[in-house]
Amino acid sequence: MTDLHVDFVSELIKKVKPSATIAVSMKAAELRAAGKDVIGLGAGEPDFDTPEHIKQAAYDAIKNGQTKYTAVDGTPELKQAIIGKFKRENNLNFAANQVLVSCGAKHSISNLLAAVLNPGDEVIIPAPYWVSYPDMALLAGGKSVIVTTTQEEDFKITSEQLEASISDKSRIIILNTPSNPTGKAYRKAELQALGEVMLKYPQLMIATDDIYEHIYWGDEDITNLGVLFPELMNRMVFINGVSKAYAMTGWRIGYAAGPVEVITAMRKIQSQATSNPCSISQAASVAALNGSQECLIPMKKAFKERHDWLISALNELPGFSCIKGEGAFYAFPNVEQAIAKIDGVSNDVEFSTWLLENAEVAVVPGTPFGAPGHVRLSFATSMDNLQKAVERIASCLAKT
Ligand code: PMP
Ligand code: GLU
């Protein structure tokens, strides 16, 4: 028999890129396993352990036999806890059929895009964006419309930019505040201006990815478009989860709340794809949302201290320029001038490789976030690691 080569991979999947954030974390872990002393500033996950009372709820769930399938959209207890969270923290009211629990907020967003996009529909994505949005849009048959912002513009889109990006094919915009990778958060007045434009385009849905809302230290209370514009609620989907706030990345629980018909469509997809998220993780998430919120305070304090230290340390590095964020746990400096000084390095991707090889510091290049010329450093790691990383980068740059 002839050994014919058959290509089994679909044309669509060939166009999808693997997640760059995950790739960098894996590479750093591999190098460490091979004995290299790599400092990983790639991973976007809290370095804290999941609080004890949350773990206890999981042990109890196992002991009590909560080890079976649950309802596809989540246990009634968790859905009630999520409804309570929205009411208490965001002043938003949802009924149980407006909430869907999924295997992480990433899964929630991917369900959402699959539920609302027709082939060729446009997804408006402000850049810098979280690496996964454009590829998730592509997987769901959509087309990304990237709205670029710069450091000088505080990495936030204006109402004029939003309006210019809307076309007859626009289906949904994804806002992420506080932002991964910039740490910037929209102020009330800025959301007000964006909301005024959204009101004019009833075909446009709004997804707001609020996964970093608890890691926020801005000078005004965090607000949301749904409270500012109740008229938008029938086309807004709120994405959130326990990963970042409660240091629960591995538990894989995220959730979405929004209009009944959209949530129902998302639930249908989930029923044919993954069924319910892990029953034990759901029980733990009930404890996270309903339990004392005191555990959030020390984590947020540590992130803020590291942020303050890291931003000023980065601004001392030759060729680095970094603005402060109001939340999340990332610094996103512009490094174009540093790149210009290094022989054989001409962009942020090569610069990140150069840092890994020379300084043994893992960072994520800005290009996969839609922002060439930048790199992302996660400060979800100890102060010691951050100080060592900056010293190493400084000494490598001094030799260029
Ligand atoms: N949105 C943003 C902006 C993120 O940074 C992440 C972290 N990976 C997620 C969503 C998804 O988080 P998870 O799937 O762990 O809930
Ligand atoms: N959101 C995190 C990050 O940006 C975790 C990895 C991922 O899911 O992309 O690094």
Side-chain angles (χ1 to χ4, degrees):
M1 253 174 51
T2 341
D3 192 11
L4 279 181
H5 175 74
V6 181
D7 183 357
F8 291 113
V9 179
S10 79
E11 295 310 313
L12 174 65
I13 297 307
K14 282 182 194 148
K15 290 189 204 142
V16 174
K17 297 182 293 305
S19 163
T21 48
I22 293 181
V24 169
S25 312
M26 294 295 137
K27 176 89 189 157
E30 240 172 61
L31 289 170
R32 265 197 302 270
K36 297 252 180 211
D37 177 25
V38 169
I39 304 176
L41 305 184
E45 65 176 345
D47 51 318
F48 301 104
D49 197 6
T50 303
E52 201 47 46
H53 70 283
I54 300 175
K55 289 188 186 173
Q56 188 59 50
Y59 305 142
D60 293 346
I62 295 174
K63 285 201 199 108
N64 298 338
Q66 291 182 48
T67 52
K68 309 282 193 231
Y69 292 133
T70 73
V72 166
D73 48 337
T75 61
E77 296 74 25
L78 180 52
K79 289 182 61 168
Q80 276 313 314
I82 291 166
I83 289 168
K85 171 255 172 311
F86 277 118
K87 179 80 206 136
R88 186 175 67 240
E89 296 180 351
N90 310 104
N91 202 17
L92 295 168
N93 293 305
F94 291 106
N97 60 357
Q98 291 184 279
V99 174
L100 174 72
V101 186
S102 300
C103 309
K106 197 175 213 170
H107 188 207
S108 307
I109 301 165
S110 129
N111 279 338
L112 170 62
L113 295 176
V116 302
L117 295 180
N118 287 309
D121 277 355
E122 292 176 355
V123 182
I124 301 175
I125 305 177
Y129 46 74
W130 179 39
V131 292
S132 292
Y133 297 148
D135 290 282
M136 283 177 172
L138 187 60
L139 275 168
K143 183 172 170 284
S144 301
V145 172
I146 307 297
V147 185
T148 305
T149 67
T150 62
Q151 197 182 66
E152 292 69 38
E153 295 161 341
D154 242 7
F155 292 127
K156 289 188 268 191
I157 58 163
T158 61
S159 53
E160 291 78 18
Q161 281 175 303
L162 170 60
E163 190 144 28
S165 72
I166 299 174
S167 79
D168 291 347
K169 296 291 279 172
S170 303
R171 184 66 157 182
I172 191 164
I173 175 167
I174 309 180
L175 282 183
N176 172 217
T177 176
S179 151
N180 174 5
T182 68
K184 300 305 293 182
Y186 283 91
R187 301 180 81 84
K188 187 175 171 186
E190 292 162 342
L191 286 178
Q192 200 104 37
L194 295 178
E196 297 290 348
V197 173
M198 291 164 180
L199 280 181
K200 293 200 267 173
Y201 298 91
Q203 82 275 21
L204 184 71
M205 291 189 60
I206 303 118
T208 164
D209 178 349
D210 302 331
I211 192 99
Y212 294 100
E213 78 179 330
H214 285 295
I215 307 169
Y216 171 75
W217 47 81
D219 60 9
E220 61 178 42
D221 283 350
I222 212 157
T223 186
N224 74 69
L225 272 168
V227 165
L228 295 177
F229 295 93
E231 315 92 294
L232 290 177
M233 283 298 282
N234 62 359
R235 50 192 169 102
M236 278 198 74
V237 178
F238 294 81
I239 304 288
N240 215 317
V242 294
S243 283
K244 313 290 175 172
Y246 302 96
M248 291 177 72
T249 44
W251 300 74
R252 309 309 303 130
I253 295 291
Y255 51 88
V260 176
E261 64 276 22
V262 174
I263 295 294
T264 306
M266 292 166 66
R267 185 177 59 205
K268 183 164 69 177
I269 297 167
Q270 190 163 303
S271 80
Q272 295 291 23
T274 57
S275 301
N276 62 276
C278 169
S279 57
I280 298 149
S281 299
Q282 289 192 66
S285 300
V286 172
L289 295 176
N290 285 351
S292 162
Q293 302 297 299
E294 290 284 304
C295 58
L296 302 178
I297 299 169
M299 294 195 264
K300 178 169 134 181
K301 186 164 169 278
F303 287 133
K304 166 80 166 82
E305 279 167 11
R306 296 169 188 177
H307 163 272
D308 292 353
W309 183 83
L310 183 62
I311 303 295
S312 56
L314 291 177
N315 280 320
E316 297 291 312
L317 293 175
F320 274 57
S321 144
C322 194
I323 56 173
K324 289 183 181 161
E326 288 89 40
F329 35 67
Y330 308 105
F332 199 61
N334 181 313
V335 291
E336 280 164 328
Q337 290 181 27
I339 291 170
K341 287 197 212 125
I342 308 170
D343 284 341
V345 170
S346 58
N347 58 45
D348 55 282
V349 177
E350 291 172 6
F351 182 62
S352 301
T353 305
W354 183 86
L355 280 180
L356 190 57
E357 285 169 358
N358 293 277
E360 299 195 320
V361 173
V363 303
V364 192
T367 295
F369 296 93
H374 298 73
V375 290
R376 187 190 82 172
L377 297 87
S378 162
F379 47 86
T381 188
S382 67
M383 261 305 215
D384 256 13
N385 270 346
L386 291 175
Q387 282 164 354
K388 238 194 301 175
V390 171
E391 276 163 26
R392 287 190 193 178
I393 298 173
S395 82
C396 283
L397 290 173
K399 292 182 205 140
T400 61

